[in-house]
PDB file of all heavy atoms in Angstrom:
ATOM      1  N   MET A   1      -8.929 -11.980 -94.237  1.00 90.00           N
ATOM      2  CA  MET A   1      -9.587 -13.030 -95.003  1.00 90.00           C
ATOM      3  C   MET A   1     -10.434 -12.431 -96.067  1.00 90.00           C
ATOM      4  O   MET A   1     -10.770 -11.265 -95.978  1.00 90.00           O
ATOM      5  CB  MET A   1     -10.442 -13.914 -94.042  1.00 90.00           C
ATOM      6  CG  MET A   1     -11.791 -13.331 -93.605  1.00 90.00           C
ATOM      7  SD  MET A   1     -12.787 -14.492 -92.606  1.00 90.00           S
ATOM      8  CE  MET A   1     -11.990 -14.454 -90.986  1.00 90.00           C
ATOM      9  N   ASP A   3     -13.793 -11.729 -98.244  1.00 95.00           N
ATOM     10  CA  ASP A   3     -15.132 -11.612 -97.708  1.00 95.00           C
ATOM     11  C   ASP A   3     -15.967 -12.820 -97.985  1.00 95.00           C
ATOM     12  O   ASP A   3     -15.667 -13.691 -98.805  1.00 95.00           O
ATOM     13  CB  ASP A   3     -15.879 -10.376 -98.295  1.00 95.00           C
ATOM     14  CG  ASP A   3     -17.000  -9.862 -97.349  1.00 95.00           C
ATOM     15  OD1 ASP A   3     -17.059 -10.360 -96.214  1.00 95.00           O
ATOM     16  OD2 ASP A   3     -17.801  -9.036 -97.785  1.00 95.00           O
ATOM     17  N   VAL A   4     -16.999 -13.028 -97.116  1.00 97.00           N
ATOM     18  CA  VAL A   4     -17.726 -14.260 -97.049  1.00 97.00           C
ATOM     19  C   VAL A   4     -19.184 -13.928 -96.694  1.00 97.00           C
ATOM     20  O   VAL A   4     -19.364 -12.949 -96.044  1.00 97.00           O
ATOM     21  CB  VAL A   4     -17.084 -15.247 -96.097  1.00 97.00           C
ATOM     22  CG1 VAL A   4     -17.159 -14.751 -94.673  1.00 97.00           C
ATOM     23  CG2 VAL A   4     -17.657 -16.646 -96.173  1.00 97.00           C
ATOM     24  N   TYR A   6     -22.444 -14.921 -94.767  1.00 98.00           N
ATOM     25  CA  TYR A   6     -22.775 -15.748 -93.603  1.00 98.00           C
ATOM     26  C   TYR A   6     -24.279 -16.090 -93.635  1.00 98.00           C
ATOM     27  O   TYR A   6     -25.104 -15.223 -93.933  1.00 98.00           O
ATOM     28  CB  TYR A   6     -22.464 -14.992 -92.401  1.00 98.00           C
ATOM     29  CG  TYR A   6     -22.942 -15.568 -91.045  1.00 98.00           C
ATOM     30  CD1 TYR A   6     -22.112 -16.388 -90.332  1.00 98.00           C
ATOM     31  CD2 TYR A   6     -24.169 -15.234 -90.508  1.00 98.00           C
ATOM     32  CE1 TYR A   6     -22.587 -16.957 -89.140  1.00 98.00           C
ATOM     33  CE2 TYR A   6     -24.636 -15.741 -89.290  1.00 98.00           C
ATOM     34  CZ  TYR A   6     -23.821 -16.632 -88.619  1.00 98.00           C
ATOM     35  OH  TYR A   6     -24.160 -17.195 -87.388  1.00 98.00           O
ATOM     36  N   ARG A   8     -27.233 -18.372 -91.227  1.00 98.00           N
ATOM     37  CA  ARG A   8     -27.437 -19.103 -89.987  1.00 98.00           C
ATOM     38  C   ARG A   8     -28.588 -20.119 -90.194  1.00 98.00           C
ATOM     39  O   ARG A   8     -29.672 -19.739 -90.505  1.00 98.00           O
ATOM     40  CB  ARG A   8     -27.768 -18.196 -88.845  1.00 98.00           C
ATOM     41  CG  ARG A   8     -27.951 -18.896 -87.492  1.00 98.00           C
ATOM     42  CD  ARG A   8     -28.146 -17.905 -86.375  1.00 98.00           C
ATOM     43  NE  ARG A   8     -26.939 -17.116 -86.108  1.00 98.00           N
ATOM     44  CZ  ARG A   8     -26.835 -16.309 -85.062  1.00 98.00           C
ATOM     45  NH1 ARG A   8     -27.873 -16.139 -84.200  1.00 98.00           N
ATOM     46  NH2 ARG A   8     -25.756 -15.642 -84.849  1.00 98.00           N
ATOM     47  N   LEU A  28     -20.066 -24.203 -91.159  1.00 98.00           N
ATOM     48  CA  LEU A  28     -19.280 -23.627 -90.034  1.00 98.00           C
ATOM     49  C   LEU A  28     -19.792 -24.242 -88.741  1.00 98.00           C
ATOM     50  O   LEU A  28     -20.904 -23.945 -88.301  1.00 98.00           O
ATOM     51  CB  LEU A  28     -19.439 -22.099 -90.036  1.00 98.00           C
ATOM     52  CG  LEU A  28     -18.744 -21.347 -88.877  1.00 98.00           C
ATOM     53  CD1 LEU A  28     -17.283 -21.451 -88.957  1.00 98.00           C
ATOM     54  CD2 LEU A  28     -19.181 -19.835 -88.931  1.00 98.00           C
ATOM     55  N   GLN A  32     -13.179 -23.215 -84.948  1.00 96.00           N
ATOM     56  CA  GLN A  32     -11.870 -23.003 -84.310  1.00 96.00           C
ATOM     57  C   GLN A  32     -10.756 -23.393 -85.208  1.00 96.00           C
ATOM     58  O   GLN A  32      -9.557 -23.035 -85.021  1.00 96.00           O
ATOM     59  CB  GLN A  32     -11.818 -23.773 -83.011  1.00 96.00           C
ATOM     60  CG  GLN A  32     -12.860 -23.267 -81.976  1.00 96.00           C
ATOM     61  CD  GLN A  32     -12.683 -21.867 -81.674  1.00 96.00           C
ATOM     62  OE1 GLN A  32     -11.788 -21.423 -80.900  1.00 96.00           O
ATOM     63  NE2 GLN A  32     -13.535 -21.010 -82.238  1.00 96.00           N
ATOM     64  N   LYS A  39      -8.533 -16.883 -92.220  1.00 96.00           N
ATOM     65  CA  LYS A  39      -7.662 -15.684 -91.977  1.00 96.00           C
ATOM     66  C   LYS A  39      -6.433 -15.848 -92.729  1.00 96.00           C
ATOM     67  O   LYS A  39      -5.843 -14.809 -93.247  1.00 96.00           O
ATOM     68  CB  LYS A  39      -7.445 -15.583 -90.472  1.00 96.00           C
ATOM     69  CG  LYS A  39      -8.664 -15.028 -89.725  1.00 96.00           C
ATOM     70  CD  LYS A  39      -8.606 -15.256 -88.289  1.00 96.00           C
ATOM     71  CE  LYS A  39      -7.744 -14.284 -87.568  1.00 96.00           C
ATOM     72  NZ  LYS A  39      -7.926 -14.387 -86.088  1.00 96.00           N
ATOM     73  N   LEU A  48     -20.674 -19.198 -95.683  1.00 98.00           N
ATOM     74  CA  LEU A  48     -20.604 -20.016 -94.508  1.00 98.00           C
ATOM     75  C   LEU A  48     -22.007 -20.344 -94.007  1.00 98.00           C
ATOM     76  O   LEU A  48     -22.843 -19.432 -93.973  1.00 98.00           O
ATOM     77  CB  LEU A  48     -19.789 -19.334 -93.368  1.00 98.00           C
ATOM     78  CG  LEU A  48     -18.314 -19.181 -93.559  1.00 98.00           C
ATOM     79  CD1 LEU A  48     -17.772 -18.311 -92.448  1.00 98.00           C
ATOM     80  CD2 LEU A  48     -17.664 -20.569 -93.617  1.00 98.00           C
ATOM     81  N   ARG A  52     -24.247 -23.652 -85.493  1.00 98.00           N
ATOM     82  CA  ARG A  52     -24.189 -23.590 -84.058  1.00 98.00           C
ATOM     83  C   ARG A  52     -25.569 -23.435 -83.335  1.00 98.00           C
ATOM     84  O   ARG A  52     -25.745 -23.614 -82.175  1.00 98.00           O
ATOM     85  CB  ARG A  52     -23.265 -22.481 -83.575  1.00 98.00           C
ATOM     86  CG  ARG A  52     -22.367 -22.829 -82.423  1.00 98.00           C
ATOM     87  CD  ARG A  52     -21.260 -21.800 -82.219  1.00 98.00           C
ATOM     88  NE  ARG A  52     -21.739 -20.442 -82.241  1.00 98.00           N
ATOM     89  CZ  ARG A  52     -22.185 -19.812 -81.194  1.00 98.00           C
ATOM     90  NH1 ARG A  52     -22.206 -20.372 -80.056  1.00 98.00           N
ATOM     91  NH2 ARG A  52     -22.621 -18.554 -81.265  1.00 98.00           N
ATOM     92  N   GLY A  99      -7.162 -28.690 -77.254  1.00 95.00           N
ATOM     93  CA  GLY A  99      -6.895 -27.260 -77.315  1.00 95.00           C
ATOM     94  C   GLY A  99      -6.836 -26.639 -75.899  1.00 95.00           C
ATOM     95  O   GLY A  99      -6.053 -27.070 -75.021  1.00 95.00           O
ATOM     96  N   ASP A 100      -7.661 -25.600 -75.670  1.00 96.00           N
ATOM     97  CA  ASP A 100      -7.648 -24.967 -74.375  1.00 96.00           C
ATOM     98  C   ASP A 100      -9.127 -24.614 -73.996  1.00 96.00           C
ATOM     99  O   ASP A 100     -10.012 -24.872 -74.862  1.00 96.00           O
ATOM    100  CB  ASP A 100      -6.805 -23.613 -74.453  1.00 96.00           C
ATOM    101  CG  ASP A 100      -7.248 -22.748 -75.644  1.00 96.00           C
ATOM    102  OD1 ASP A 100      -8.464 -22.387 -75.650  1.00 96.00           O
ATOM    103  OD2 ASP A 100      -6.407 -22.335 -76.476  1.00 96.00           O
ATOM    104  N   PRO A 101      -9.394 -24.123 -72.801  1.00 98.00           N
ATOM    105  CA  PRO A 101     -10.827 -23.885 -72.421  1.00 98.00           C
ATOM    106  C   PRO A 101     -11.639 -23.082 -73.434  1.00 98.00           C
ATOM    107  O   PRO A 101     -12.734 -23.444 -73.755  1.00 98.00           O
ATOM    108  CB  PRO A 101     -10.713 -23.189 -71.094  1.00 98.00           C
ATOM    109  CG  PRO A 101      -9.418 -23.604 -70.558  1.00 98.00           C
ATOM    110  CD  PRO A 101      -8.490 -23.777 -71.742  1.00 98.00           C
ATOM    111  N   GLN A 102     -11.065 -22.019 -73.980  1.00 98.00           N
ATOM    112  CA  GLN A 102     -11.772 -21.181 -74.906  1.00 98.00           C
ATOM    113  C   GLN A 102     -12.098 -21.934 -76.201  1.00 98.00           C
ATOM    114  O   GLN A 102     -13.244 -21.817 -76.705  1.00 98.00           O
ATOM    115  CB  GLN A 102     -10.931 -19.895 -75.217  1.00 98.00           C
ATOM    116  CG  GLN A 102     -10.741 -18.932 -74.073  1.00 98.00           C
ATOM    117  CD  GLN A 102      -9.430 -19.180 -73.395  1.00 98.00           C
ATOM    118  OE1 GLN A 102      -9.004 -20.290 -73.124  1.00 98.00           O
ATOM    119  NE2 GLN A 102      -8.781 -18.107 -73.025  1.00 98.00           N
ATOM    120  N   HIS A 105     -14.907 -24.415 -75.640  1.00 98.00           N
ATOM    121  CA  HIS A 105     -16.286 -23.787 -75.576  1.00 98.00           C
ATOM    122  C   HIS A 105     -16.870 -23.662 -76.953  1.00 98.00           C
ATOM    123  O   HIS A 105     -18.147 -23.498 -76.988  1.00 98.00           O
ATOM    124  CB  HIS A 105     -16.208 -22.459 -74.826  1.00 98.00           C
ATOM    125  CG  HIS A 105     -15.975 -22.558 -73.353  1.00 98.00           C
ATOM    126  ND1 HIS A 105     -15.326 -21.697 -72.638  1.00 98.00           N
ATOM    127  CD2 HIS A 105     -16.428 -23.548 -72.456  1.00 98.00           C
ATOM    128  CE1 HIS A 105     -15.348 -22.049 -71.332  1.00 98.00           C
ATOM    129  NE2 HIS A 105     -15.952 -23.140 -71.296  1.00 98.00           N
ATOM    130  N   MET A 106     -16.109 -23.637 -77.963  1.00 98.00           N
ATOM    131  CA  MET A 106     -16.633 -23.432 -79.335  1.00 98.00           C
ATOM    132  C   MET A 106     -16.542 -24.674 -80.197  1.00 98.00           C
ATOM    133  O   MET A 106     -17.456 -24.996 -80.929  1.00 98.00           O
ATOM    134  CB  MET A 106     -15.886 -22.330 -80.033  1.00 98.00           C
ATOM    135  CG  MET A 106     -16.169 -20.906 -79.479  1.00 98.00           C
ATOM    136  SD  MET A 106     -17.888 -20.376 -79.758  1.00 98.00           S
ATOM    137  CE  MET A 106     -17.777 -19.951 -81.526  1.00 98.00           C
ATOM    138  N   ARG A 182      -1.067 -28.040 -78.559  1.00 87.00           N
ATOM    139  CA  ARG A 182      -1.870 -29.028 -77.846  1.00 87.00           C
ATOM    140  C   ARG A 182      -2.485 -30.105 -78.789  1.00 87.00           C
ATOM    141  O   ARG A 182      -3.172 -30.956 -78.342  1.00 87.00           O
ATOM    142  CB  ARG A 182      -2.992 -28.408 -76.939  1.00 87.00           C
ATOM    143  CG  ARG A 182      -2.573 -27.316 -76.085  1.00 87.00           C
ATOM    144  CD  ARG A 182      -1.332 -27.570 -75.356  1.00 87.00           C
ATOM    145  NE  ARG A 182      -1.475 -28.338 -74.177  1.00 87.00           N
ATOM    146  CZ  ARG A 182      -0.413 -28.681 -73.417  1.00 87.00           C
ATOM    147  NH1 ARG A 182       0.808 -28.233 -73.662  1.00 87.00           N
ATOM    148  NH2 ARG A 182      -0.586 -29.476 -72.351  1.00 87.00           N
TER     149      ARG A 182
ATOM    150  N   GLY B  19     -19.386  -9.867 -93.712  1.00 97.00           N
ATOM    151  CA  GLY B  19     -19.364 -11.219 -93.182  1.00 97.00           C
ATOM    152  C   GLY B  19     -18.081 -11.623 -92.571  1.00 97.00           C
ATOM    153  O   GLY B  19     -18.050 -12.350 -91.587  1.00 97.00           O
ATOM    154  N   ARG B  20     -16.982 -11.057 -93.049  1.00 97.00           N
ATOM    155  CA  ARG B  20     -15.666 -11.454 -92.546  1.00 97.00           C
ATOM    156  C   ARG B  20     -15.197 -10.616 -91.291  1.00 97.00           C
ATOM    157  O   ARG B  20     -14.119 -10.964 -90.749  1.00 97.00           O
ATOM    158  CB  ARG B  20     -14.599 -11.248 -93.617  1.00 97.00           C
ATOM    159  CG  ARG B  20     -14.453  -9.818 -94.034  1.00 97.00           C
ATOM    160  CD  ARG B  20     -13.398  -9.704 -95.154  1.00 97.00           C
ATOM    161  NE  ARG B  20     -13.520  -8.512 -95.951  1.00 97.00           N
ATOM    162  CZ  ARG B  20     -12.807  -8.240 -96.984  1.00 97.00           C
ATOM    163  NH1 ARG B  20     -11.824  -9.077 -97.390  1.00 97.00           N
ATOM    164  NH2 ARG B  20     -13.015  -7.101 -97.668  1.00 97.00           N
ATOM    165  N   GLU B  41      -3.582 -13.166 -83.142  1.00 86.00           N
ATOM    166  CA  GLU B  41      -4.530 -13.313 -84.213  1.00 86.00           C
ATOM    167  C   GLU B  41      -4.565 -14.721 -84.821  1.00 86.00           C
ATOM    168  O   GLU B  41      -5.063 -14.917 -85.932  1.00 86.00           O
ATOM    169  CB  GLU B  41      -4.333 -12.306 -85.301  1.00 86.00           C
ATOM    170  CG  GLU B  41      -5.318 -11.127 -85.141  1.00 86.00           C
ATOM    171  CD  GLU B  41      -5.686 -10.497 -86.468  1.00 86.00           C
ATOM    172  OE1 GLU B  41      -4.844  -9.786 -87.094  1.00 86.00           O
ATOM    173  OE2 GLU B  41      -6.833 -10.727 -86.964  1.00 86.00           O
ATOM    174  N   THR B  49      -9.615 -12.760 -75.322  1.00 98.00           N
ATOM    175  CA  THR B  49     -10.670 -13.554 -74.570  1.00 98.00           C
ATOM    176  C   THR B  49     -11.741 -12.670 -74.044  1.00 98.00           C
ATOM    177  O   THR B  49     -11.537 -11.688 -73.382  1.00 98.00           O
ATOM    178  CB  THR B  49     -10.079 -14.387 -73.491  1.00 98.00           C
ATOM    179  OG1 THR B  49      -9.110 -15.286 -74.013  1.00 98.00           O
ATOM    180  CG2 THR B  49     -11.141 -15.188 -72.707  1.00 98.00           C
ATOM    181  N   MET B  52     -18.902 -15.030 -74.074  1.00 98.00           N
ATOM    182  CA  MET B  52     -20.106 -15.091 -74.908  1.00 98.00           C
ATOM    183  C   MET B  52     -21.096 -16.058 -74.216  1.00 98.00           C
ATOM    184  O   MET B  52     -20.764 -17.240 -73.967  1.00 98.00           O
ATOM    185  CB  MET B  52     -19.774 -15.588 -76.353  1.00 98.00           C
ATOM    186  CG  MET B  52     -21.081 -15.632 -77.199  1.00 98.00           C
ATOM    187  SD  MET B  52     -20.772 -15.869 -78.947  1.00 98.00           S
ATOM    188  CE  MET B  52     -20.168 -17.559 -78.962  1.00 98.00           C
ATOM    189  N   GLN B  55     -19.538 -17.911 -71.329  1.00 98.00           N
ATOM    190  CA  GLN B  55     -18.369 -18.746 -71.436  1.00 98.00           C
ATOM    191  C   GLN B  55     -17.209 -18.055 -72.149  1.00 98.00           C
ATOM    192  O   GLN B  55     -17.438 -17.221 -73.059  1.00 98.00           O
ATOM    193  CB  GLN B  55     -18.729 -20.011 -72.302  1.00 98.00           C
ATOM    194  CG  GLN B  55     -19.747 -20.932 -71.687  1.00 98.00           C
ATOM    195  CD  GLN B  55     -19.841 -22.222 -72.424  1.00 98.00           C
ATOM    196  OE1 GLN B  55     -19.938 -22.204 -73.630  1.00 98.00           O
ATOM    197  NE2 GLN B  55     -19.852 -23.327 -71.736  1.00 98.00           N
ATOM    198  N   SER B  56     -15.989 -18.365 -71.745  1.00 98.00           N
ATOM    199  CA  SER B  56     -14.839 -17.722 -72.379  1.00 98.00           C
ATOM    200  C   SER B  56     -14.603 -18.201 -73.814  1.00 98.00           C
ATOM    201  O   SER B  56     -14.739 -19.412 -74.027  1.00 98.00           O
ATOM    202  CB  SER B  56     -13.604 -17.969 -71.470  1.00 98.00           C
ATOM    203  OG  SER B  56     -13.319 -19.340 -71.462  1.00 98.00           O
ATOM    204  N   LYS B  58     -12.445 -16.983 -77.709  1.00 98.00           N
ATOM    205  CA  LYS B  58     -11.509 -16.063 -78.310  1.00 98.00           C
ATOM    206  C   LYS B  58     -12.164 -15.213 -79.365  1.00 98.00           C
ATOM    207  O   LYS B  58     -12.578 -15.788 -80.479  1.00 98.00           O
ATOM    208  CB  LYS B  58     -10.291 -16.864 -78.868  1.00 98.00           C
ATOM    209  CG  LYS B  58      -9.537 -17.494 -77.708  1.00 98.00           C
ATOM    210  CD  LYS B  58      -8.375 -18.343 -78.164  1.00 98.00           C
ATOM    211  CE  LYS B  58      -7.614 -18.863 -76.938  1.00 98.00           C
ATOM    212  NZ  LYS B  58      -6.533 -19.814 -77.246  1.00 98.00           N
ATOM    213  N   CYS B  60     -11.049 -13.280 -81.541  1.00 97.00           N
ATOM    214  CA  CYS B  60     -10.339 -13.178 -82.811  1.00 97.00           C
ATOM    215  C   CYS B  60     -10.595 -14.415 -83.633  1.00 97.00           C
ATOM    216  O   CYS B  60     -10.217 -14.419 -84.821  1.00 97.00           O
ATOM    217  CB  CYS B  60      -8.866 -12.925 -82.678  1.00 97.00           C
ATOM    218  SG  CYS B  60      -7.913 -14.489 -82.492  1.00 97.00           S
ATOM    219  N   VAL B  65     -20.822 -11.747 -86.908  1.00 98.00           N
ATOM    220  CA  VAL B  65     -22.196 -12.238 -87.169  1.00 98.00           C
ATOM    221  C   VAL B  65     -22.506 -13.543 -86.398  1.00 98.00           C
ATOM    222  O   VAL B  65     -23.655 -13.787 -86.116  1.00 98.00           O
ATOM    223  CB  VAL B  65     -22.415 -12.518 -88.692  1.00 98.00           C
ATOM    224  CG1 VAL B  65     -22.691 -11.289 -89.402  1.00 98.00           C
ATOM    225  CG2 VAL B  65     -21.270 -13.322 -89.309  1.00 98.00           C
ATOM    226  N   GLN B  66     -21.487 -14.311 -86.066  1.00 98.00           N
ATOM    227  CA  GLN B  66     -21.782 -15.476 -85.243  1.00 98.00           C
ATOM    228  C   GLN B  66     -22.243 -15.110 -83.859  1.00 98.00           C
ATOM    229  O   GLN B  66     -22.954 -15.919 -83.250  1.00 98.00           O
ATOM    230  CB  GLN B  66     -20.457 -16.303 -85.055  1.00 98.00           C
ATOM    231  CG  GLN B  66     -20.041 -17.195 -86.196  1.00 98.00           C
ATOM    232  CD  GLN B  66     -18.705 -17.908 -85.862  1.00 98.00           C
ATOM    233  OE1 GLN B  66     -17.645 -17.296 -85.957  1.00 98.00           O
ATOM    234  NE2 GLN B  66     -18.745 -19.136 -85.444  1.00 98.00           N
ATOM    235  N   ASP B  68     -24.263 -12.618 -83.366  1.00 98.00           N
ATOM    236  CA  ASP B  68     -25.600 -11.939 -83.466  1.00 98.00           C
ATOM    237  C   ASP B  68     -26.581 -12.556 -82.461  1.00 98.00           C
ATOM    238  O   ASP B  68     -26.765 -13.785 -82.545  1.00 98.00           O
ATOM    239  CB  ASP B  68     -26.069 -12.014 -84.933  1.00 98.00           C
ATOM    240  CG  ASP B  68     -27.298 -11.219 -85.129  1.00 98.00           C
ATOM    241  OD1 ASP B  68     -27.514 -10.202 -84.438  1.00 98.00           O
ATOM    242  OD2 ASP B  68     -28.103 -11.537 -86.036  1.00 98.00           O
ATOM    243  N   ASP B 112     -13.864 -16.896 -65.855  1.00 98.00           N
ATOM    244  CA  ASP B 112     -14.569 -18.055 -66.393  1.00 98.00           C
ATOM    245  C   ASP B 112     -14.099 -19.364 -65.660  1.00 98.00           C
ATOM    246  O   ASP B 112     -14.909 -20.199 -65.275  1.00 98.00           O
ATOM    247  CB  ASP B 112     -14.402 -18.202 -67.867  1.00 98.00           C
ATOM    248  CG  ASP B 112     -15.023 -19.452 -68.517  1.00 98.00           C
ATOM    249  OD1 ASP B 112     -16.299 -19.413 -68.603  1.00 98.00           O
ATOM    250  OD2 ASP B 112     -14.335 -20.381 -68.846  1.00 98.00           O
ATOM    251  N   GLU B 129      -5.490 -24.728 -66.937  1.00 96.00           N
ATOM    252  CA  GLU B 129      -6.519 -23.992 -67.476  1.00 96.00           C
ATOM    253  C   GLU B 129      -6.088 -22.711 -68.191  1.00 96.00           C
ATOM    254  O   GLU B 129      -6.882 -22.172 -68.951  1.00 96.00           O
ATOM    255  CB  GLU B 129      -7.554 -23.631 -66.363  1.00 96.00           C
ATOM    256  CG  GLU B 129      -8.325 -24.848 -65.820  1.00 96.00           C
ATOM    257  CD  GLU B 129      -9.682 -25.023 -66.427  1.00 96.00           C
ATOM    258  OE1 GLU B 129     -10.137 -23.991 -67.012  1.00 96.00           O
ATOM    259  OE2 GLU B 129     -10.272 -26.058 -66.347  1.00 96.00           O
ATOM    260  N   GLU B 131      -3.911 -22.728 -70.395  1.00 95.00           N
ATOM    261  CA  GLU B 131      -3.325 -23.214 -71.638  1.00 95.00           C
ATOM    262  C   GLU B 131      -3.553 -22.197 -72.792  1.00 95.00           C
ATOM    263  O   GLU B 131      -2.681 -22.003 -73.656  1.00 95.00           O
ATOM    264  CB  GLU B 131      -4.053 -24.523 -71.982  1.00 95.00           C
ATOM    265  CG  GLU B 131      -3.501 -25.263 -73.139  1.00 95.00           C
ATOM    266  CD  GLU B 131      -1.995 -25.419 -72.990  1.00 95.00           C
ATOM    267  OE1 GLU B 131      -1.516 -25.971 -71.985  1.00 95.00           O
ATOM    268  OE2 GLU B 131      -1.264 -24.985 -73.907  1.00 95.00           O
ATOM    269  N   GLY B 132      -4.664 -21.534 -72.794  1.00 95.00           N
ATOM    270  CA  GLY B 132      -5.108 -20.750 -73.971  1.00 95.00           C
ATOM    271  C   GLY B 132      -4.657 -19.309 -73.797  1.00 95.00           C
ATOM    272  O   GLY B 132      -5.101 -18.420 -74.587  1.00 95.00           O
ATOM    273  N   ASN B 133      -3.873 -18.935 -72.774  1.00 97.00           N
ATOM    274  CA  ASN B 133      -3.437 -17.533 -72.599  1.00 97.00           C
ATOM    275  C   ASN B 133      -1.965 -17.433 -72.482  1.00 97.00           C
ATOM    276  O   ASN B 133      -1.395 -18.118 -71.543  1.00 97.00           O
ATOM    277  CB  ASN B 133      -4.154 -16.949 -71.362  1.00 97.00           C
ATOM    278  CG  ASN B 133      -5.651 -16.858 -71.517  1.00 97.00           C
ATOM    279  OD1 ASN B 133      -6.336 -17.856 -71.455  1.00 97.00           O
ATOM    280  ND2 ASN B 133      -6.140 -15.661 -71.840  1.00 97.00           N
TER     281      ASN B 133
END
Side-chain angles (χ1 to χ4, degrees):
Chain A
M1 78 176 77
D3 203 9
V4 64
Y6 171 90
R8 183 175 290 187
L28 175 66
Q32 299 301 283
K39 286 160 78 170
L48 288 174
R52 220 165 52 84
D100 56 53
Q102 293 95 317
H105 285 147
M106 289 294 284
R182 311 316 279 179
Chain B
R20 62 180 158 184
E41 259 211 286
T49 301
M52 178 168 69
Q55 293 191 316
S56 62
K58 292 178 177 175
C60 86
V65 281
Q66 280 178 281
D68 187 26
D112 177 73
E129 291 260 345
E131 188 52 56
N133 294 77

